[in-house]
Amino acid sequence: MVIKLGIIGLSADPSAWATIAHVEPLKQKPLSEQYKLAAVATSSPETAKAAGLSQALPGSKTYSSAEDIANDEDVHMIVVSVKAPLHYQLTMPALKAKKDVFVEWPLGATTTEAEELAAFAKKQGVKTVVGLQARLAPIMLKHVDKPGKAREIIDSGALGRILSTSLVATMSMFHNFSEKNSYVNDPNAGVNLVSVPVMHTLDPLCFLLGEFKWLSAATSTRSPEIQFIKPDGTLSSPVKRNFADAMSVQGVLDSGTFVSFSYTATTTGTPDHLTWIIGGEKASLKIEGNNAAIQLGSTKLSFYEPPAAQNKGAYDELKPASWKDIDVPPVIAFGGIGEVYQAFAEGKPGLVDFEEAVKRHRMYPSASAILPILRSITLIPSWPPSSLVPDQASVQSNQDDPTNWRRQRQCQHQDPQCPGHSAMNDEGGSTPPPERDRNLGPVLIGVNWAVFGPSWIFVILRLITRIWISHNFGWDDAVMVLAQVRSTSDVTTKGVDALADTMAHGK
């Protein structure tokens, strides 16, 4: 059966993403025999009619609302190809009409939106697809009559046990946005370096090698301002950049593979590039290209096998073997979306549905919302103060009489009326300290709460992230909360004790 598509977001512009990434591959075999463009929808009747004319569609098949195109009985599948903040509101009508849906990544502007869409799609019993297409690129996965590549080589055991993988990518796109895409600078839009290009790259990594067992991530904003390119080619006035332009991830996969990942938005002074090495015990693979996005650039695959054993000394130069290029067929069309359509029509594995997309949504808040913070720590000089360090005579006295230390701590003053002071003198305790010493209770209380108070803030933020954002509260979080409660008890007890001393001695 031919699948009839209704595309939301298709314009008359031949250079627009929906045109070159969605419509163009549909004109090529085998997709031209599997799909037919049946309707379009845009934000206004005028632009919808123009888009329809560009694709030779009758006026009756052009719509200006998501509800109307979703209710067209001639449409089997709705494609949502608009900016991310609109994904939720434009996808929901299609699900209500029980139509199959293809949504660009990210599925929603927030994880909550993605979860709601996934839950409702499951309830409606429809098929869903999300545009995380890099995992389906010919360099990654075997497709029909095309030879298998990275996935097939790894599954064959040719690399042996995968020990580590390192990926370094640079992309200039996030420094060179057009003015119409200035919404990327809106923190609530759901579109930033982490949510889009980083996840487009981490997804195929996890697809090939497995999910993360744990990860640690850091983000940085190295260019505090951003300018957008106007239609006439000039730059807009600089505004504050509201998203990170660099990210690094270190972690370990469920398989034990160590991951080192670096993704940077650069100026045009650094060329776009991707180098990804998968290192095994027997051999290695390298994926390299002129674009950080695997699905967008010209990417090549290379295989490395070590040379025969060389009888060399520890410091003698070894002659490595050369990387051998592996032939990779080209994508159906620019953008890699054609492979997604083909896999959907033929029921092939590797597609990302809504439920799988939610996994990625839950992944990037935990990676990006935790560590954009760098702080400097100033150590207190000469700590502890000399007045807190006992002399040897005091130490010996305390060993002879364990109660003596308590009386000394209570009597750091010169008040002869103090019972503690009298007890010390009467019982032959150590000589009261000189006048320059004083009760340090207020200082200790201040230091304790200056350090301990903010720690509760970070614990609460972690709980918010783990419970309501990443939905991943575990035993380690429970232990951390118990430790924080116990510490609170200790600090409070010591604080009350020190406060009592302060009030008793007036200093």
Side-chain angles (χ1 to χ4, degrees):
M1 182 187 76
V2 174
I3 301 172
K4 296 181 180 180
L5 301 177
I7 301 181
I8 300 175
L10 179 64
S11 73
D13 182 359
S15 64
W17 171 259
T19 305
I20 59 178
H22 287 268
V23 175
E24 288 304 314
L26 297 177
K27 298 177 180 178
Q28 303 180 39
K29 290 185 178 181
L31 299 184
S32 60
E33 299 171 346
Q34 298 168 331
Y35 292 91
K36 178 184 178 182
L37 179 60
V40 298
T42 65
S43 59
S44 71
E46 293 76 21
T47 57
K49 184 174 292 186
L53 287 173
S54 70
Q55 303 299 328
L57 289 174
S60 60
K61 294 298 181 180
T62 61
Y63 301 97
S64 57
S65 80
E67 289 77 11
D68 289 343
I69 192 172
N71 292 324
D72 186 333
E73 295 181 356
D74 199 34
V75 172
H76 303 146
M77 184 178 192
I78 297 294
V79 178
V80 179
S81 183
V82 297
K83 57 186 182 181
L86 300 177
H87 285 183
Y88 180 88
Q89 69 184 73
L90 297 180
T91 301
M92 194 59 76
L95 297 178
K96 290 178 180 179
K98 293 191 174 183
K99 298 291 175 71
D100 295 339
V101 188
F102 181 162
V103 182
E104 293 280 6
W105 173 263
L107 176 55
T110 65
T111 302
T112 300
E113 288 187 356
E115 290 171 340
E116 290 180 7
L117 288 172
F120 190 55
K122 185 176 181 179
K123 178 181 178 181
Q124 295 294 86
V126 300
K127 296 178 182 178
T128 59
V129 184
V130 176
L132 284 171
Q133 65 268 33
R135 59 163 65 186
L136 293 173
I139 200 171
M140 293 287 173
L141 188 65
K142 183 176 182 179
H143 275 286
V144 198
D145 58 339
K146 297 178 180 178
K149 296 306 174 186
R151 182 65 179 265
E152 185 178 38
I153 293 170
I154 292 171
D155 290 347
S156 73
L159 305 186
R161 183 167 64 97
I162 307 300
L163 302 176
S164 65
T165 185
S166 62
L167 189 153
V168 178
T170 57
M171 171 184 276
S172 62
M173 178 186 295
F174 271 72
H175 271 284
N176 299 280
F177 272 113
S178 64
E179 198 170 44
K180 70 177 182 179
N181 291 322
S182 61
Y183 69 91
V184 301
N185 205 38
D186 179 359
N188 298 317
V191 179
N192 53 60
L193 183 81
V194 177
S195 66
V196 180
V198 166
M199 296 312 300
H200 265 294
T201 309
L202 280 176
D203 178 70
L205 186 153
C206 293
F207 176 69
L208 282 183
L209 304 178
E211 299 296 328
F212 277 91
K213 184 176 183 180
W214 64 264
L215 64 82
S216 175
T219 60
S220 174
T221 303
R222 296 158 308 115
S223 300
E225 294 182 330
I226 186 172
Q227 294 175 282
F228 297 98
I229 303 172
K230 296 181 178 181
D232 61 3
T234 60
L235 294 176
S236 67
S237 300
V239 295
K240 179 186 175 184
R241 183 188 295 272
N242 293 319
F243 58 88
D245 54 15
M247 183 178 192
S248 66
V249 177
Q250 305 289 320
V252 174
L253 304 179
D254 288 333
S255 62
T257 300
F258 180 79
V259 177
S260 177
F261 178 97
S262 173
Y263 206 108
T264 308
T266 65
T267 65
T268 52
T270 301
D272 289 19
H273 192 72
L274 168 75
T275 300
W276 177 12
I277 295 178
I278 302 171
E281 286 183 315
K282 298 178 181 178
S284 298
L285 282 178
K286 179 168 66 173
I287 297 173
E288 195 170 22
N290 60 3
N291 195 307
I294 295 172
Q295 71 276 16
L296 298 182
S298 175
T299 311
K300 71 175 184 178
L301 180 66
S302 304
F303 181 81
Y304 178 85
E305 203 168 19
Q310 302 176 34
N311 296 321
K312 298 282 188 178
Y315 301 104
D316 292 336
E317 182 180 357
L318 297 177
K319 295 181 179 179
S322 299
W323 288 91
K324 298 178 181 178
D325 291 345
I326 299 175
D327 289 335
V328 177
V331 295
I332 295 175
F334 174 81
I337 297 294
E339 279 69 23
V340 178
Y341 281 121
Q342 186 177 5
F344 181 84
E346 298 170 1
K348 300 299 179 181
L351 284 170
V352 178
D353 61 12
F354 281 13
E355 291 188 7
E356 182 80 4
V358 167
K359 293 181 182 179
R360 294 291 168 256
H361 270 278
R362 291 174 178 170
M363 181 178 176
Y364 71 75
S366 63
S368 65
I370 298 175
L371 295 170
I373 302 170
L374 296 176
R375 70 172 69 246
S376 60
I377 300 175
T378 303
L379 298 178
I380 301 174
S382 302
W383 183 264
S386 58
S387 60
L388 294 183
V389 181
D391 57 47
Q392 290 301 313
S394 298
V395 172
Q396 184 61 45
S397 176
N398 294 339
Q399 291 174 346
D400 295 339
D401 180 4
T403 65
N404 195 37
W405 178 86
R406 174 69 177 177
R407 291 195 300 273
Q408 289 183 41
R409 188 178 67 80
Q410 289 178 334
C411 197
Q412 301 291 315
H413 56 85
Q414 293 290 322
D415 183 1
Q417 301 301 317
C418 171
H421 177 80
S422 301
M424 282 181 60
N425 291 335
D426 293 343
E427 297 179 18
S430 59
T431 304
E435 178 64 30
R436 63 181 175 84
D437 287 335
R438 60 189 177 86
N439 179 12
L440 290 170
V443 175
L444 292 176
I445 294 173
V447 170
N448 272 340
W449 285 104
V451 174
F452 189 74
S455 71
W456 263 113
I457 296 175
F458 290 108
V459 169
I460 292 170
L461 290 175
R462 177 184 173 93
L463 292 177
I464 291 172
T465 300
R466 300 284 278 187
I467 296 174
W468 287 286
I469 299 179
S470 65
H471 302 281
N472 192 27
F473 185 87
W475 65 266
D476 53 331
D477 301 291
V479 170
M480 181 187 67
V481 172
L482 290 175
Q484 188 74 5
V485 171
R486 171 61 189 273
S487 299
T488 302
S489 175
D490 289 346
V491 170
T492 302
T493 301
K494 290 179 173 58
V496 170
D497 198 10
L499 184 60
D501 288 347
T502 301
M503 296 176 65
H505 302 319
K507 275 193 174 183

